[in-house]
Amino acid sequence: MAAAMHPRLVAVAALVALMCAVAVGQVPAADGAPVCDGVDQDVVNACFKSFGEGMKNAIADRHLSGGKVIKVGVDCCIAFGGHSCLCKMKKVWKDQGKSDQDNVQCVREKAC
């Protein structure tokens, strides 16, 4: 049982590290995405766009030392399901009159 949980724990740890990464020269919010304290803005931007298109998974940029950028997959429901940033996103979509994000269960069920 413990061996079966190991990949999941590694994935969650990697996701937490990605969300909490403080990039030097943080990227700006894009396409109306909110700024959320303590969360990598690349992840916020990617999930905001993905959720807004009715999808729960996104590809986010990860800025490494030396200026190298890699692409990483993010399950946005895991990343933001329990985070107040999702409420900020929902407010922006409401103000924009958008509804595609309601196709994503974790967004639809998030009480703000």
Side-chain angles (χ1 to χ4, degrees):
M1 179 70 177
M5 292 295 291
H6 189 266
R8 181 175 283 172
L9 290 173
V10 170
V12 170
L15 184 59
V16 169
L18 176 64
M19 284 185 60
C20 296
V22 178
V24 176
Q26 181 99 325
V27 298
D31 300 321
V35 174
C36 301
D37 292 336
V39 181
D40 186 307
Q41 191 62 43
D42 282 316
V43 175
V44 175
N45 292 345
C47 287
F48 181 78
K49 181 177 187 237
S50 181
F51 279 152
E53 295 172 350
M55 300 177 293
K56 75 174 200 131
N57 295 316
I59 302 296
D61 289 340
R62 177 75 168 114
H63 297 268
L64 304 176
S65 60
K68 184 176 180 182
V69 178
I70 61 171
K71 303 284 186 187
V72 293
V74 179
D75 181 325
C76 297
C77 286
I78 292 175
F80 292 103
H83 199 283
S84 63
C85 190
L86 184 52
C87 290
K88 290 182 177 184
M89 292 181 193
K90 288 179 77 164
K91 180 178 180 340
V92 172
W93 292 315
K94 182 178 179 184
D95 292 346
Q96 293 174 346
K98 293 186 176 182
S99 62
D100 285 345
Q101 69 280 357
D102 293 334
N103 293 327
V104 182
Q105 183 177 357
C106 67
V107 175
R108 186 176 55 250
E109 293 176 353
K110 176 71 174 173
C112 296

